[in-house]
């Protein structure tokens, strides 16, 4: 099946999906503490409405999570921005950036594309085949070529491509699966929500290069649960 690139009009949007709507969203993110200008620029320029059903386009640039089917959501823009910022920050202090990033939970593909605008390689795993099919179509229509995707149990990670400089989880479990943590480089960074459905915390884990990881709590969040198996 041929997948045609999106026309400029679809990328720019109009009305509630226009550049003005995106500018308002970015201003809101700044007010709520997002400081990384690179992340803000990507969110300003990326057509979030392309990642959701057309019936929800008028809400695409609200700072809220939205349903994408199969019991899943596209994350709130503030959460995407904060997770991306938290992932990049430790590398900035070393005058570098992660070269290979693993995402667990492709969903709509939005977080993967945000990352793909900021790092050389993104590897993303999704357990629900239909969601992954839709995300891949969006990647092609947007001309994003530095994302590799896989239909698999996210709890297994992507061992064949490990180690990863950074890992991001877009679903919450009681703890980080050991198989995923094993795929993080010794001095890598992992950002993920952890906890029960009623109480979740966004954490960042940073490796010291010797096999130990320091954990920080970043914010209270709410994510769908991290499930095993293939949906």
């Amino acid at each position: 099946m041929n997948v045609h690139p999106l026309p400029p009009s679809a990328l720019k949007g109009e009305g509630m999906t226009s550049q003005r709507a995106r500018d308002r969203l970015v201003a809101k993110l700044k007010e709520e503490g997002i400081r990384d200008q690179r992340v803000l620029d990507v969110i300003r320029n990326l057509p979030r409405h392309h990642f959701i059903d057309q019936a929800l386009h008028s809400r695409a640039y609200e700072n809220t999570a939205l349903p994408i089917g199969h019991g899943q959501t596209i994350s709130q823009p503030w959460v995407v921005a904060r997770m991306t910022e938290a992932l990049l920050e430790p590398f900035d202090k070393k005058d570098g950036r992660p070269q290979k990033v693993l995402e667990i939970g492709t969903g709509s593909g939005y977080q993967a594309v945000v990352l793909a605008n900021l790092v050389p390689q993104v590897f993303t795993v999704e357990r629900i085949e239909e969601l992954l099919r839709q995300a891949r179509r969006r990647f092609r229509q947007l001309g994003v070529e530095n994302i590799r995707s896989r239909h698999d149990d996210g709890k297994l990670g992507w061992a064949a491509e490990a180690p990863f400089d950074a890992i991001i989880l877009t679903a919450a479990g009681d703890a980080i699966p050991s198989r995923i943590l094993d795929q993080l480089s010794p001095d890598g960074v992992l950002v993920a929500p952890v906890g029960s459905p009623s109480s979740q915390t966004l954490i960042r884990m940073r490796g010291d290069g010797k096999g130990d990881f320091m954990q920080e709590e970043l914010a209270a969040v709410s994510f769908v649960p991290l499930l095993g198996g293939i949906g």
Side-chain angles (χ1 to χ4, degrees), residues 26 46 87 113 118 170 219:
V26 168
L46 188 60
L87 194 96
V113 175
L118 296 163
T170 62

Side-chain angles (χ1 to χ4, degrees), residues 14-80:
E14 57 185 18
M16 296 301 289
T17 64
S18 67
Q19 191 61 58
R20 183 174 296 179
R22 302 179 205 190
D23 290 343
R24 287 196 298 267
L25 172 60
V26 168
K28 179 69 172 175
L29 296 181
K30 286 183 177 181
E31 289 175 6
E32 296 194 6
I34 302 302
R35 294 288 175 261
D36 192 315
Q37 192 60 49
R38 299 165 301 178
V39 175
L40 293 169
D41 287 344
V42 170
I43 289 178
R44 176 182 283 110
N45 294 323
L46 188 60
R48 187 172 184 251
H49 63 279
H50 181 54
F51 295 84
I52 58 177
D53 189 270
Q54 188 170 3
L56 293 170
H57 278 191
S58 64
R59 301 188 63 195
Y61 300 97
E62 295 177 6
N63 188 25
T64 187
L66 295 168
I68 58 172
H70 303 274
Q72 305 299 301
T73 61
I74 181 173
S75 293
Q76 176 187 359
W78 181 87
V79 169
V80 173

Side-chain angles (χ1 to χ4, degrees), residues 22-230:
R22 302 179 205 190
D23 290 343
R24 287 196 298 267
L25 172 60
V26 168
K28 179 69 172 175
L29 296 181
K30 286 183 177 181
E31 289 175 6
E32 296 194 6
I34 302 302
R35 294 288 175 261
D36 192 315
Q37 192 60 49
R38 299 165 301 178
V39 175
L40 293 169
D41 287 344
V42 170
I43 289 178
R44 176 182 283 110
N45 294 323
L46 188 60
R48 187 172 184 251
H49 63 279
H50 181 54
F51 295 84
I52 58 177
D53 189 270
Q54 188 170 3
L56 293 170
H57 278 191
S58 64
R59 301 188 63 195
Y61 300 97
E62 295 177 6
N63 188 25
T64 187
L66 295 168
I68 58 172
H70 303 274
Q72 305 299 301
T73 61
I74 181 173
S75 293
Q76 176 187 359
W78 181 87
V79 169
V80 173
R82 184 68 187 100
M83 293 180 77
T84 306
E85 185 177 64
L87 194 96
L88 296 175
E89 183 183 24
F91 295 92
D92 291 339
K93 294 178 179 179
K94 298 184 289 186
D95 295 323
R97 61 176 175 168
Q99 299 299 299
K100 291 177 65 176
V101 177
L102 172 65
E103 177 194 35
I104 303 300
T106 312
S108 69
Y110 182 73
Q111 174 73 80
V113 175
V114 169
L115 289 167
N117 277 271
L118 296 163
V119 304
Q121 290 183 289
V122 176
F123 296 78
T124 183
V125 181
E126 172 57 55
R127 63 183 295 273
I128 300 174
E129 188 172 17
E130 178 58 27
L131 288 181
L132 184 59
R133 185 180 298 115
Q134 294 173 15
R136 285 171 169 166
R137 183 177 69 248
R138 294 175 182 127
F139 300 157
R140 292 192 292 270
Q141 290 178 327
L142 291 169
V144 181
E145 299 180 347
N146 59 329
I147 297 176
R148 288 182 58 188
S149 59
R150 180 183 179 93
H151 176 225
D152 206 348
D153 181 346
K155 288 189 173 183
L156 304 179
W158 197 330
E161 294 295 340
F164 296 95
D165 302 310
I167 298 177
I168 189 168
L169 280 71
T170 62
D174 292 333
I176 306 300
S178 58
R179 286 196 181 187
I180 293 177
L181 195 56
D182 289 344
Q183 293 171 30
L184 186 63
S185 67
D187 58 351
V189 176
L190 181 146
V191 176
V194 173
S196 66
S198 62
S199 179
Q200 296 175 4
T201 302
L202 185 64
I203 66 165
R204 176 169 61 192
M205 301 179 70
R206 290 189 285 177
D208 64 357
K210 301 175 182 177
D212 291 326
F213 291 89
M214 178 183 71
Q215 180 172 310
E216 308 165 71
E217 295 187 357
L218 303 178
V221 290
S222 179
F223 277 80
V224 296
L226 178 64
L227 302 176
I230 296 177

